[in-house]
Amino acid sequence: MFKKRPGRLIPFIVIVIIYAGFGFWVYSNYITSQISSEAGAILLKWGSRGSEVREVQTRLKNWGFYKGTVDGIYGWRTANAVKAFQKKHGLKADGIVGNATAKALGIRTGTASARGGTSRDNEAYTLAQCVHGEARGEPYIGQVAVAAVILNRVDDPRFPKTIAGVIYQPGAFTAVTDGQMFQPPGSSALKAAKDALNGWDPSGGALYYYNPAKTTNKWIWSRPIIKVIGKHYFCK
Amino acid sequence: MKLFNMQLDRKQYHKVAVVLAAALILAGFFGYNTYTEKKQYQTFLQNSYQRSFRELVTNVENIKLLLEKAEVSASPQQSSALMSQTWMQSYSAAENLGQLPITHVSLSKTEKYLNQVGDYSYSLSRNGARNKNMTEKDMDQISKLRAYAGELLGELHKMEEDVARGEIRFGEIRKKGRLALRRASKDAVEVSFGNIEDKFSEYPSLIYDGPFSDNVIEGKPKGLDGEDVSLEKAKEKAKKFVGEDKAGRIIETSSGKGKIHTYGLEVSPKDKEKGNPINIDITKKGGYVLWMLNPRDIPEKKLTDQQASDKAKKFLKEQGFGDLTETYFLKNDNTTTITFIGVTKDGVLIYPDLLKVKVALDNGEIVGFDAYQYLMSHRKRDIPKPKLTEEEARKKVSPRIKVERVKLAIIPMPGNKEQLCYEFKGKYNNFDYFVYINAEDGSEENILRIIKDENGTLTQ
């Protein structure tokens, strides 16, 4: 039968290929979602800004890969430097700082610092996770301020009385509701959480914050604004 | 397209049909599984919401009953017991309320009520334990709180009925999914809680000795004096603080309108290649530095604890801070954060006047400074003479503690108050403790346990 009319099998094969293609599409979607959430700890690419970019630039500059200024902005110079670095270290030269590249650069990924043991360390870690989910990409001070808002809530009678209570209050933080929080925090979020726990409060005692470009909640707009840091408005 | 013009014979039709049917069955199976799983999760969520809600109702019932009893209690012991039960019930009520899937806006007043009842009853139970009877003012506030408990309970009972009849379901917010995240959705539960909030609109402000008392929340800074300064002057201050040699361009990023009004400044380093911009907030009134943070990377640790502490002290002296003494420190990420408190010429420690300095352990640079508490409380104080002698106070300390050192100290008390105490530092069971004995009436005001490890000292 195969020898006689091989052409007859073609529609059948086509259908199998279509199914296989569909299956592969679903699978690859799943894989990429896995990868991006894994790499969520540090994923810097063209257009990223902030202290983590600065860290990458400083290191690349020290090793002679990067010639530009350390400005915390991931532009083409940074991308090229990252590519050069990746080539030299046998990594995929895509110009994106994911987990593997970050490790090669010697930048601490969040998971490494989850150790410790005292409850204060664990508190700092949870706080950092929330900060990372809510404010990665914001300037460092903005990250400290977000952590400070959480701590200000703990001290306010209108909110739950523990850090975990405030963070997990239903609907309180978008990053908690949509699960973005459950990633290892970056080093800058961890540092910010510790600074806030040590008492620094750049928010000026704020209890709420919002990104005016993303919020349609009328109630929050009516709150008196205390401070503007990065993209966030902090208010009472 | 030659491919599609091809004819399939019977056998091949058969094969295709089998493959398609198998796929369909698989998909159906998968769908059903997902559906039942989702149902299970929903039920689980629903149940835990129900539990929180029912527990909340019970808690409020108990609060109301306990407050009713407290109104007619005449002995301090009995009121103290009633008040500590109220404290526990309102704490648990607030916990349960915080777990309901309702936006914060519709329950902030209820939450505040519950937390204040708890906080207030705690301070009353402490008074009762000191054999102090409740004052008329306390009684008045208790009956007001009891009336609100009644109102709250009425609404909760109405909701409970609706829930029992299945008219309200919790977690309807969850069902609507993402939309609800962006917009405060108005579902039945929210509306009911909105009603409760309206009833709380005339809720009086409570004044008592506790951290959630309204006068504490609205406390004003005491350490700010002088005229308002201009932005130029603030920039000058910032430059001086960071160091003339290091500071480059200074821009105003954001002014603060919190409890202390500030100019938010960003100081760029002179040598752009080296270092980060430094953030610094200068108070509008008086031009004091409120806080400073330099988030630069600190790759290594070279300084010893002693060297770091010397650097911090030298810095404070240069900035014109007078009598301060170092208390505890905390190390992380190659920095050490040292806490300083005020001290008088006679050696009385002033704990409310608290400053923090963060030293980079690679070169001793000051990378952080926080004076919020100092500016909130620092002023010229008249320190009273202690009524008790050291010997008398020592008798009040537990005999289990081996006292090593005694000092006089002013400590912060609930309700923005301060109290002169004897501070006894001692050891029990290999742990260090601080015990504070009121220098006026000899009562034991506070006990702190000290946790020490290589990364610093903490009090609990």
Side-chain angles (χ1 to χ4, degrees), chain A residues 115-134:
Chain A
R115 284 179 276 116
T118 71
S119 72
R120 197 181 158 90
D121 282 349
N122 293 337
E123 260 177 5
Y125 191 75
T126 317
L127 193 58
Q129 277 186 308
C130 191
V131 170
H132 185 75
E134 286 275 315

Side-chain angles (χ1 to χ4, degrees), chain A residues 8 10 19 54 59 61 69 140-141 157-159 161 170 177 191 195 198-200 202 208 226-228, chain B residues 9 12 20 98 104 111 115 181 254-255 257-258 273 276 279 281 292 295-297 330 356 358 369:
Chain A
R8 280 193 174 181
I10 289 172
Y19 265 104
R54 199 179 286 281
R59 273 162 218 257
K61 190 158 190 144
T69 50
Y140 179 74
I141 290 301
R158 282 163 289 180
F159 291 91
K161 297 281 74 66
T177 313
K191 209 165 136 188
D195 271 338
N198 275 340
W200 272 268
Y208 308 94
I226 300 177
K227 216 154 186 201
V228 181
Chain B
D9 69 18
Q12 275 163 335
L20 281 176
H104 166 75
E111 182 106 31
N115 276 320
L181 294 178
S254 155
S255 294
K257 295 189 193 73
E273 302 292 301
N276 307 52
N279 287 86
D281 263 32
M292 181 274 278
R296 82 174 166 88
D297 210 29
L330 204 67
K356 281 176 180 167
K358 191 172 168 188
F369 176 80

Side-chain angles (χ1 to χ4, degrees), chain B residues 75-291:
Chain B
S75 71
Q77 291 81 12
Q78 182 61 26
S79 344
S80 174
L82 286 169
M83 283 296 113
S84 48
Q85 285 177 54
T86 315
W87 171 41
M88 199 196 88
Q89 290 292 335
S90 43
Y91 187 84
S92 138
E95 289 279 283
N96 285 318
L97 186 69
Q99 283 172 23
L100 294 178
I102 303 163
T103 50
H104 166 75
V105 184
S106 6
L107 39 84
S108 66
K109 281 182 190 145
T110 317
E111 182 106 31
K112 184 179 174 192
Y113 166 78
L114 292 172
N115 276 320
Q116 276 194 334
V117 169
D119 193 27
Y120 183 42
S121 49
Y122 174 69
S123 88
L124 286 180
S125 87
R126 273 177 69 113
N127 279 349
R130 286 173 189 192
N131 250 333
K132 269 199 252 172
N133 255 321
M134 283 196 224
T135 62
E136 268 309 303
K137 196 184 126 218
D138 288 334
M139 281 301 184
D140 195 44
Q141 291 197 353
I142 283 184
S143 34
K144 272 186 196 147
L145 289 174
R146 192 253 307 137
Y148 278 103
E151 299 258 5
L152 179 58
L153 194 59
E155 283 294 326
L156 288 176
H157 277 315
K158 261 191 248 163
M159 275 175 74
E160 205 176 18
E161 265 174 45
D162 290 345
V163 170
R165 273 189 275 120
E167 280 174 25
I168 296 184
R169 279 171 69 83
F170 287 106
E172 276 169 6
I173 300 172
R174 292 280 151 276
K175 266 195 193 162
K176 280 183 203 154
R178 285 210 168 151
L179 203 68
L181 294 178
R182 291 196 203 114
R183 208 147 34 87
S185 78
K186 280 267 178 260
D187 71 348
V189 184
E190 299 250 1
V191 173
S192 304
F193 267 97
N195 290 342
I196 298 176
E197 292 287 297
D198 291 343
K199 297 217 159 120
F200 276 102
S201 57
E202 280 156 49
Y203 178 63
S205 54
L206 277 184
I207 312 279
Y208 57 90
D209 291 349
F212 298 148
S213 164
D214 285 301
N215 63 326
V216 177
I217 295 168
E218 278 142 31
K220 295 256 177 316
K222 294 171 184 146
L224 291 179
D225 45 23
E227 295 294 306
D228 282 10
V229 297
S230 64
L231 178 62
E232 285 316 306
K233 194 100 193 242
K235 282 183 178 174
E236 240 168 70
K237 286 260 181 188
K239 194 170 188 178
K240 227 171 155 189
F241 194 81
V242 173
E244 307 264 353
D245 48 329
K246 284 186 218 154
R249 207 161 62 97
I250 301 177
I251 48 163
E252 187 190 12
T253 50
S254 155
S255 294
K257 295 189 193 73
K259 252 182 203 174
I260 297 178
H261 286 213
T262 59
Y263 294 107
L265 305 176
E266 193 177 282
V267 183
S268 305
K270 216 169 215 171
D271 185 359
K272 266 216 160 177
E273 302 292 301
K274 262 206 238 152
N276 307 52
I278 296 163
N279 287 86
I280 187 163
D281 263 32
I282 308 279
T283 64
K284 282 197 175 152
K285 199 176 172 193
Y288 297 93
V289 178
L290 181 62
W291 58 263

Side-chain angles (χ1 to χ4, degrees), chain A residues 35-45 48 52-53 55-56 74 96-103 105-110 132 136 183-188:
Chain A
I35 286 173
S36 59
S37 72
E38 250 175 54
I42 291 176
L43 184 69
L44 304 170
K45 49 182 190 258
S48 300
E52 276 161 3
V53 176
E55 218 173 311
V56 170
Y74 204 116
I96 296 170
V97 181
N99 261 359
T101 312
K103 217 174 244 171
L105 278 164
I107 293 171
R108 202 159 46 117
T109 52
H132 185 75
R136 59 168 176 256
Q183 298 170 355
S187 57
S188 133

Side-chain angles (χ1 to χ4, degrees), chain B residues 297-308:
Chain B
D297 210 29
I298 294 147
E300 53 185 350
K301 191 185 144 210
K302 278 189 201 154
L303 269 66
T304 63
D305 293 350
Q306 188 55 46
Q307 284 170 318

